[in-house]
Amino acid sequence: GRNLSCSCMHLTNYAVNKHNTTFDCTQAHDRGSKRALSSVFAAIESAGGPSAESLWDKVRALTEKTLLALRPRLVENIARGTYGKLHPLGPKSFHILGLDIILDEHYRPFLLELNASSSL
């Protein structure tokens, strides 16, 4: 509870956090406020936490379960296309999804939010 008044500290939303006065826009993959996930996993491992490979496996499993839960709705949306499901002239596209994931004190990943229009 000591830092509850620091509202930007608890946000994972880049669009909001980039306006914080302490936001560090360094472009390096392993420094600054927006870092590569691989550098975060490497820092956790070097501090005595689980291996980066183990963390990736846990995040991959969470991502797979999330996509499996979404699959029925995604298929339904594709089937509503002008030409219908499985037609050779049917829709061919992709959608980038953003997953906000937090690790607990035991390095277990939990899905915080699924973003249909994520900031890249």
Side-chain angles (χ1 to χ4, degrees):
R2 295 187 319 248
N3 59 13
L4 287 177
S5 63
C6 303
S7 59
C8 287
M9 172 181 266
H10 303 282
L11 295 176
T12 58
N13 190 324
Y14 169 72
V16 173
N17 263 335
K18 69 182 179 182
H19 299 295
N20 187 311
T21 57
T22 61
F23 186 84
D24 180 356
C25 62
T26 302
Q27 295 297 310
H29 80 284
D30 60 348
R31 293 191 317 269
S33 295
K34 190 168 184 175
R35 301 175 188 203
L37 188 55
S38 58
S39 77
V40 173
F41 284 177
I44 290 171
E45 185 175 0
S46 69
S51 71
E53 181 179 355
S54 170
L55 290 169
W56 274 119
D57 287 344
K58 291 176 183 178
V59 168
R60 183 178 301 112
L62 175 62
T63 302
E64 289 170 353
K65 290 172 187 169
T66 301
L67 292 176
L68 283 172
L70 288 173
R71 187 179 184 281
R73 182 66 180 184
L74 294 173
V75 169
E76 180 183 322
N77 285 339
I78 291 170
R80 286 191 201 154
T82 305
Y83 298 106
K85 182 167 84 174
L86 302 176
H87 190 281
L89 299 177
K92 315 257 186 311
S93 63
F94 64 92
H95 191 110
I96 296 174
L97 299 172
L99 281 74
D100 290 349
I101 296 172
I102 190 168
L103 301 175
D104 70 5
E105 65 274 7
H106 302 291
Y107 302 102
R108 291 179 302 204
F110 290 89
L111 181 65
L112 287 177
E113 181 179 32
L114 177 68
N115 299 301
S117 300
S118 56
S119 318
L120 300 175

